[in-house]
Amino acid sequence: MKSMIEKTIKLGISTCLLGENVRYDGGHKLDRFLTETLGQYVEYVPVCPEVECSLPIPRESMHLEGDLDSPRLVTSRTKQDMTDRMVQWARKRVVELEKEDLCGFIFKSNSPSSGMERVRVYNGKRMPVKKGVGIFARIFMEHFPLLPVGDEGRLNDPKIRENFIERIFSLKRWREVLTRKESRGNLVDFHTKQKLLILSHSPKHYQMMGKLVAKAKDLSLKDLYQQYQTLLMECLKLKTTPKKNANILQHMMGYFREQLSSDEKQELLEIIDHYRQGYIPLIVPITLINHYVRKYNQPYLKQQVYLNPHPLELQLRNHV
Ligand code: SF4
């Protein structure tokens, strides 16, 4: 059964990824992982920039052209410039989306409207350069700079998928803190539970956030919350690595110094090392440590989000 937190994660998504026939050719780009697997844990808010700015289905295809940093959105055959229409609509739409309390957005890759990166930009007769950003995607990311974003192409990469999903679940947890009364105690409580997760992404941010929390009394609550949120989202954007995870696993092992036999310690060390070397996925040492946490009822580790940051069924820690 899903918990409340899992049920209320809202994600923006390019409508065609949900299987809606909104593409220029009247087709869709259904992504089954997003609809059937991740879809069980999130509520999608669909956005199709081209249809929502009143273009028909089907319609002439479009592309980006001109300057890489501010390309025009132009129909491919008849060369109609749709940029102003799209920009005007997008600026209003992002303000509307503020009400949705989104925890992220999944864009359709390569689209001149929805692509978040590496979209082809044409310039005269030269080969297109794959360095553009779709018009809506750019305005969205500028409006919500801290929100996790991904596209269905890159989310096929297990490491990118793990990182993106971990961030949306973390952001949801943080938003739950924001629904409560602001207090230093609430923030410290949240931070304590996230410590190992933060450390697994960035030891540097772990230190900075630790210092921020330590001087919490010197800051106004508003500044404290704002600075903490920025550091949290910056930190989680950085990817975990086998080395960083292995350090944390060994650190956690230290909590069982008294309880584990030397055989059990040896076994756990070997498993951690096999994970570090890329022979087995992270879920293996995590499962064993979770077993010890339950068995010995270890109070500090029991509350660490790192041991259970997202639903097991998403299998995000099953890759090597
Ligand atoms: S890529 Fe974007 S604009 Fe194109 S059909 Fe999908 S949602 Fe609509």
Side-chain angles (χ1 to χ4, degrees), residues 256-268:
F256 302 108
R257 215 172 286 125
E258 306 293 316
Q259 291 101 331
L260 298 189
S261 67
S262 54
D263 247 16
E264 287 168 327
K265 282 182 193 151
Q266 190 56 33
E267 182 196 26
L268 185 50

Side-chain angles (χ1 to χ4, degrees), residues 174 178 182-184 187 212 216 219-230:
W174 171 245
L178 296 183
E182 281 188 354
S183 82
R184 290 176 182 83
L187 188 125
L212 179 68
L219 293 167
S220 72
L221 278 171
K222 189 164 170 266
D223 285 349
L224 175 66
Y225 270 62
Q226 216 147 42
Q227 287 180 35
Y228 187 86
Q229 172 172 290
T230 305

Side-chain angles (χ1 to χ4, degrees), residues 6 19 37 63 86-87 100-101 106 162-163 188 200 230 234-235 265 276:
E6 290 159 3
T37 309
H63 63 243
M86 178 63 79
V87 167
E100 299 285 357
D101 210 18
I106 302 176
E162 180 188 352
N163 179 269
V188 170
S200 73
T230 305
E234 260 178 31
C235 161
K265 282 182 193 151
R276 191 204 317 257

Side-chain angles (χ1 to χ4, degrees), residues 14-16 22-24 47-50 59 108 111 113-114:
S14 297
T15 310
C16 55
V22 288
R23 280 177 49 92
Y24 72 96
V47 180
C48 176
E50 292 176 17
R59 57 188 170 275
K108 170 72 190 75
S111 155
S113 308
S114 303

Side-chain angles (χ1 to χ4, degrees), residues 267-319:
E267 182 196 26
L268 185 50
L269 274 178
E270 275 173 23
I271 288 178
I272 294 172
D273 200 48
H274 285 161
Y275 159 69
R276 191 204 317 257
Q277 293 187 56
Y279 301 140
I280 55 171
L282 178 58
I283 193 66
V284 180
I286 288 283
T287 304
L288 188 52
I289 289 186
N290 262 324
H291 165 74
Y292 289 136
V293 170
R294 265 201 306 275
K295 184 171 174 185
Y296 298 114
N297 202 16
Q298 212 305 315
Y300 175 71
L301 294 183
K302 214 165 69 176
Q303 55 168 353
Q304 286 304 308
V305 169
Y306 177 77
L307 283 167
N308 200 9
H310 31 60
L312 203 60
E313 295 84 348
L314 290 174
Q315 303 181 1
L316 298 174
R317 287 172 156 181
N318 297 24
H319 60 87

